[in-house]
Amino acid sequence: MEERLMDFGEVRAEFLEVLRGSPAARRNEILFGEWSLKDVVAHLIGWDAYFADILASLKAGKEPPYWGNISKFNEASVQRRRSASWEVVHDEFVVAGDEFLLRYAQLSPNLWHVRFWKGKPYTPAKILDVNLHHYAKSHLPQVKKHLSGTDLKEKG
């Protein structure tokens, strides 16, 4: 489990490095669908903060609230930050990811594989895998491709 947590930390560090190198002029361009780079970061903040809250609930012995409709959750995360500046969103991204990692570091190993919603397969180990995949296989490659300009070459 610690290895996957380290993997997440490494992917997140790479994501932060890519964001640091992103040209200001490209941060509001549509990356995919209707989302800009800033919107993708806002989306990731929503999940990192939510997953950190789940871990806090588990540690306190409480059942965490279920996310409900994923599309609505995603859109709410983006809309909540749409009017914020890049700097504010970037800083919130750093804080949310740090909190996510901290909550995992503080989680008792005996809770890693405990299902926290009746009838659902989710455990802290599972949501770490989901979030790692979200970063490493979905959004980081999309962002790198967009910022390298290869997505523009393919469209043109």
Side-chain angles (χ1 to χ4, degrees):
M1 195 48 61
E2 289 178 15
E3 184 178 324
R4 288 192 297 215
L5 198 53
M6 286 180 11
D7 290 345
F8 179 82
E10 289 172 10
V11 169
R12 183 173 169 269
E14 182 180 358
F15 202 98
L16 285 166
E17 189 62 33
V18 168
L19 293 180
R20 278 187 206 95
S22 67
R26 307 238 15 229
R27 293 174 183 157
N28 287 314
E29 290 177 2
I30 298 302
L31 183 61
F32 68 91
E34 296 179 1
W35 286 0
S36 67
L37 177 58
K38 187 176 97 171
D39 294 336
V40 170
V41 173
H43 157 74
L44 291 170
I45 292 167
W47 286 108
D48 285 353
Y50 176 71
F51 289 152
D53 288 347
I54 284 176
L55 298 175
S57 293
L58 288 175
K59 189 175 177 185
K62 299 177 182 174
E63 182 177 333
Y66 186 63
W67 58 61
N69 181 290
I70 291 176
S71 294
K72 288 180 181 178
F73 181 95
N74 288 339
E75 191 56 33
S77 294
V78 171
Q79 287 302 326
R80 195 172 301 122
R81 296 162 181 90
R82 188 140 287 153
S83 64
S85 70
W86 170 260
E87 291 74 18
V88 167
V89 171
H90 180 274
D91 290 350
E92 188 180 357
F93 179 66
V94 171
V95 169
D98 288 349
E99 188 69 18
F100 176 82
L101 288 167
L102 178 65
R103 296 273 171 90
Y104 267 100
Q106 296 173 341
L107 190 67
S108 173
N110 65 337
L111 293 176
W112 277 87
H113 298 285
V114 172
R115 288 184 181 199
F116 43 84
W117 292 312
K118 205 171 203 154
K120 306 240 184 264
Y122 296 101
T123 66
K126 175 83 172 167
I127 62 173
L128 176 58
D129 288 343
V130 166
N131 215 19
L132 179 58
H133 184 273
H134 204 192
Y135 273 78
K137 303 296 182 194
S138 296
H139 295 306
L140 182 58
Q142 289 170 330
V143 169
K144 288 170 81 173
K145 183 177 179 180
H146 176 74
L147 293 175
S148 72
T150 57
D151 62 329
L152 298 174
K153 293 173 191 164
E154 290 173 5
K155 290 178 187 173

